[in-house]
């Protein structure tokens, strides 16, 4: 692939390790990776044939927190303008759609639908990281959160590591991830460890009320954790729990971080959960109604074996080849 091809990436940096790992994929494919905002330089009007754009979570911009009043109106107007003129600067536009709906707001669904329609018309291809029957998309693969060589080295350590936590829920806490449904069903005889910050004070209080009223054994560190702290928590857990709503997210970064560090996965029923459970023995589907009985009869795959299976499907080479096909 010609090194003259420039790839303008949104976002260029992100706290989510997905972006850093995906940059490595594009570099292996020979692209010169640039920040998305530099796409709109006049010189790119003359090189649109060589310019590629890859957009992640771009449709969520108008729903970011902290925007209100006239400032939000101006921001949304400028957002639509950048979409309308994008094809003047690039012939090759890839929209990576991660979610079915915005995660920062349940309001303005008509606005979201308008954005989705426009993005579909602007993009050459819409790409998802999982196969979905609801959207007609190309499919690539989500990278693991560590390079193959690092995971292989970690496997040796995982063979002898003693697990500190049985059940872990981690990551940014938002209503669509349904931690409240998990707490409503959580058995009193089991301890649940939660590592992650909830920025929604109303939802935080709802979760605390459930814990108090049901008197369940929950250890919640409600704060932002560093990458090192989160990795340590996951590596020290037997099971990671994903109680997400069905048709909320298409793919889950939590899943890929967890399997990168050898955790087994428990998911509330969803299309994503069923797909992964059919493919991997370390994934099990659970239900709120039968949760106490299900937790007593879980099967467990050792961490090093989880990592072996993860590498077999999501190695650096496999992810690179999936993107090569899409591009």
């Amino acid at each position: 692939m010609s090194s003259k091809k420039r790839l303008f990436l949104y976002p260029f940096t992100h706290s989510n390790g997905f972006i850093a790992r995906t940059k490595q994929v594009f570099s292996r494919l020979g692209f010169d990776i640039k920040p998305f905002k530099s796409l709109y330089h006049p010189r790119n009007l003359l090189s649109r044939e060589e310019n590629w754009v890859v957009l992640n979570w771009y449709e969520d911009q108008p729903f970011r927190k902290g925007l209100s009043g006239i400032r939000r109106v101006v921001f949304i107007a400028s957002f639509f303008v950048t979409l309308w003129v994008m094809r003047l600067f690039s012939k090759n536009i890839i929209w990576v759609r991660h979610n079915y709906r915005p995660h920062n707001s349940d309001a303005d669904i008509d606005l979201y639908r308008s954005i989705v329609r426009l993005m579909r018309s602007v993009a050459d291809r819409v790409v998802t990281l999982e196969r979905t029957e609801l959207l007609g998309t190309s499919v690539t693969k989500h990278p693991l959160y560590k390079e193959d060589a690092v995971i292989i080295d970690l496997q040796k350590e995982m063979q002898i590591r003693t697990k500190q936590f049985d059940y872990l829920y981690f990551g940014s806490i938002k209503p669509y991830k349904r931690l409240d449904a998990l707490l409503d069903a959580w058995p009193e005889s089991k301890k649940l460890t939660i590592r992650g910050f909830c920025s929604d004070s109303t939802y935080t209080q709802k979760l605390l009320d459930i814990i108090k009223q049901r008197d369940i054994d929950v250890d919640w560190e409600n704060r932002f954790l560093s990458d090192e702290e989160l990795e340590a928590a996951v590596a020290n857990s037997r099971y990671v729990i994903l109680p997400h709503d069905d048709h909320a997210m298409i793919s889950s970064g939590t899943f890929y971080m967890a399997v990168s560090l050898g955790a087994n996965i428990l998911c509330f029923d969803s299309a994503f959960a069923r797909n992964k459970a059919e493919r991997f023995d370390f994934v099990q589907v659970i239900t709120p109604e039968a949760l106490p009985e299900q937790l007593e009869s879980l099967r467990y795959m050792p961490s090093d074996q989880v990592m072996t299976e993860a590498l077999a499907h999501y190695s650096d080479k496999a992810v690179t080849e999936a993107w090569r096909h899409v591009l």
Side-chain angles (χ1 to χ4, degrees):
M1 186 169 291
S2 172
S3 61
K4 293 182 180 179
K5 290 189 176 181
R6 291 173 294 277
L7 190 148
F8 297 86
L9 181 64
Y10 180 88
F12 191 71
T13 59
H14 200 280
S15 58
N16 187 326
F18 170 83
I19 293 298
R21 293 288 284 130
T22 302
K23 276 184 179 179
Q24 294 175 339
V25 172
F26 294 146
S27 292
R28 287 194 291 269
L29 290 170
F31 283 101
D32 182 16
I33 306 168
K34 307 281 188 182
F36 172 73
K37 64 176 64 176
S38 65
L39 171 70
Y40 294 97
H41 193 284
R43 65 172 175 266
N44 287 319
L45 291 168
L46 303 176
S47 59
R48 65 184 296 271
E49 298 285 336
E50 289 78 37
N51 297 337
W52 289 69
V53 173
V54 176
L55 305 171
N56 296 276
W57 305 294
Y58 195 71
E59 70 278 15
D60 285 346
Q61 281 198 80
F63 305 95
R64 63 173 60 176
K65 295 193 174 182
L67 291 176
S68 60
I70 188 65
R71 184 165 173 249
R72 183 166 187 258
V73 172
V74 171
F75 182 89
I76 292 174
S78 64
F79 170 84
F80 275 102
V81 170
T82 63
L83 271 177
W84 283 322
V85 303
M86 194 178 297
R87 293 198 66 83
L88 296 176
F89 294 84
S90 174
K91 182 182 177 182
N92 313 286
I93 300 172
I94 308 295
W95 172 27
V96 184
R97 187 169 180 182
H98 294 259
N99 307 308
Y100 291 109
R101 61 177 187 253
H103 287 166
N104 289 328
S105 173
D106 290 327
D108 293 330
I109 195 65
D110 289 337
L111 172 62
Y112 185 73
R113 287 172 179 158
S114 298
I115 292 169
V116 167
R117 283 195 296 269
L118 180 56
M119 290 195 67
R120 275 192 168 276
S121 68
V122 168
D124 297 286
R125 268 152 290 175
V126 182
V127 174
T128 53
L129 302 170
E130 314 288 347
R131 193 168 302 282
T132 169
E133 296 180 357
L134 299 182
L135 305 172
T137 62
S138 301
V139 181
T140 185
K141 290 191 174 186
H142 194 300
L144 298 175
Y145 275 77
K146 292 186 178 295
E147 297 177 17
D148 293 3
V150 176
I151 293 177
I152 291 169
D153 284 342
L154 280 173
Q155 283 181 291
K156 302 169 186 176
E157 177 189 339
M158 290 300 178
Q159 290 175 349
I160 59 174
R161 183 188 285 258
T162 300
K163 301 295 185 180
Q164 181 180 358
F165 310 122
D166 285 326
Y167 309 101
L168 173 70
Y169 178 105
F170 77 91
S172 177
I173 296 173
K174 299 180 180 181
Y176 82 90
K177 295 184 179 182
R178 295 310 312 275
L179 179 55
D180 57 310
L182 179 63
L183 292 174
D184 278 333
W186 193 254
E188 298 174 5
S189 60
K190 302 291 185 183
K191 182 174 182 176
L192 176 63
T193 302
I194 304 174
R195 295 290 183 266
F197 179 63
C198 182
S199 61
D200 183 330
S201 59
T202 301
Y203 191 59
T204 298
Q205 191 57 54
K206 177 179 180 177
L207 299 176
L208 293 173
D209 288 344
I210 295 173
I211 294 169
K212 182 178 180 180
Q213 291 166 8
R214 298 199 60 236
D215 193 26
I216 47 180
D217 190 0
V218 176
D219 172 19
W220 180 12
E221 289 192 21
N222 185 14
R223 63 181 179 88
F224 285 111
L225 276 72
S226 68
D227 289 345
E228 292 76 16
E229 289 175 308
L230 275 180
E231 287 182 11
V234 175
N236 283 314
S237 300
R238 287 166 57 84
Y239 299 96
V240 163
I241 306 178
L242 280 70
H244 298 53
D245 267 345
D246 199 6
H247 300 152
M249 52 84 182
I250 298 170
S251 188
S252 168
T254 300
F255 173 90
Y256 291 96
M257 181 175 180
V259 301
S260 299
L261 294 164
N264 284 233
I265 306 293
L266 305 178
C267 299
F268 277 4
D269 187 41
S270 67
F272 176 86
R274 291 189 296 273
N275 176 274
K276 297 303 182 188
E278 290 174 2
R279 184 175 300 180
F280 301 113
D281 289 338
F282 56 76
V283 180
Q284 296 169 79
V285 177
I286 56 177
T287 60
E289 299 77 16
L291 189 56
E293 297 82 2
Q294 290 172 326
L295 293 183
E296 293 296 339
S297 59
L298 293 174
R299 61 183 182 274
Y300 177 74
M301 178 180 288
S303 291
D304 60 309
Q305 294 181 32
V306 172
M307 296 160 85
T308 296
E309 285 204 24
L311 281 172
H313 288 81
Y314 305 108
S315 66
D316 290 341
K317 180 179 179 180
V319 175
T320 300
E321 289 306 308
W323 268 108
R324 189 192 306 278
H325 178 74
V326 167
L327 296 171

